[in-house]
Amino acid sequence: VEFPDGQVKEYSANVIAENILTSVDSEGFSLTMMEGITDYQMDPSVAIPKSDKYTITPRGRRKRRITTKGWKLKVLWKDGSEAWIPLKDLKESHPVETAEFAVAKGIDDEAAFAWWIPYTMKKKKAILSLVRSRLRNTT
């Protein structure tokens, strides 16, 4: 997401990098408390439908709506418990896993996902490429 001052875009890349790098230890083993995302639910009375994912600016340009309202994802934790987590929280704490789940389930074109998933997946790929190249250079 690009804002006039550019800070949110930089912050988002840092959150994605931090999420990738803190989810494994120095030997590459997983450290996350989350086992995975198992389900999703949309509240149609609150969520923005696909048909309304764009708004028209006063200058007549189409602009994506930036919202996560009305969506919850069911998370399976390592201890076996499950919880419904609002998309806004899971997107910040586990952006890559959330994006991959949405793509796998075919909901990445919904209004709540379409505005941030392409950027997250692109940054994930770039960060992983940098990590792999550093690993090759040090071994």
Side-chain angles (χ1 to χ4, degrees):
V1 181
E2 190 171 329
F3 290 94
D5 62 0
Q7 290 180 0
V8 173
K9 191 168 191 174
E10 181 179 322
Y11 170 76
S12 296
N14 288 340
V15 168
I16 294 164
E18 181 181 321
N19 177 260
I20 290 170
L21 297 174
T22 60
S23 66
V24 295
D25 64 14
S26 61
E27 276 114 44
F29 294 104
S30 177
L31 295 174
T32 185
M33 298 286 293
M34 186 175 81
E35 187 71 36
I37 302 170
T38 59
D39 200 3
Y40 65 91
Q41 61 181 210
M42 177 193 62
D43 181 351
S45 66
V46 179
I48 304 293
K50 266 191 233 186
S51 59
D52 290 337
K53 70 180 172 183
Y54 291 99
T55 184
I56 305 298
T57 67
R59 293 184 179 208
R61 299 180 118 181
R62 274 185 4 149
K63 181 180 174 187
R64 286 189 194 263
R65 291 183 192 263
I66 297 176
T67 182
T68 58
K69 289 182 181 180
W71 286 83
K72 290 184 180 180
L73 302 172
K74 190 175 188 180
V75 173
L76 174 63
W77 301 105
K78 292 275 187 185
D79 67 0
S81 64
E82 294 179 318
W84 286 98
I85 310 292
L87 173 59
K88 70 181 180 85
D89 297 332
L90 206 54
K91 177 181 115 25
E92 293 300 319
S93 64
H94 295 84
V96 174
E97 293 91 337
T98 305
E100 288 173 340
F101 174 81
V103 170
K105 293 295 183 178
I107 56 174
D108 55 315
D109 62 340
E110 292 283 349
F113 298 92
W115 63 272
W116 63 272
I117 284 184
Y119 177 77
T120 300
M121 298 304 279
K122 183 174 139 185
K123 283 298 175 187
K124 172 198 163 197
K125 186 176 180 180
I127 291 164
L128 288 177
S129 294
L130 288 172
V131 169
R132 286 187 191 117
S133 69
R134 285 186 184 179
L135 285 174
R136 279 187 229 123
N137 291 340
T138 59
T139 56

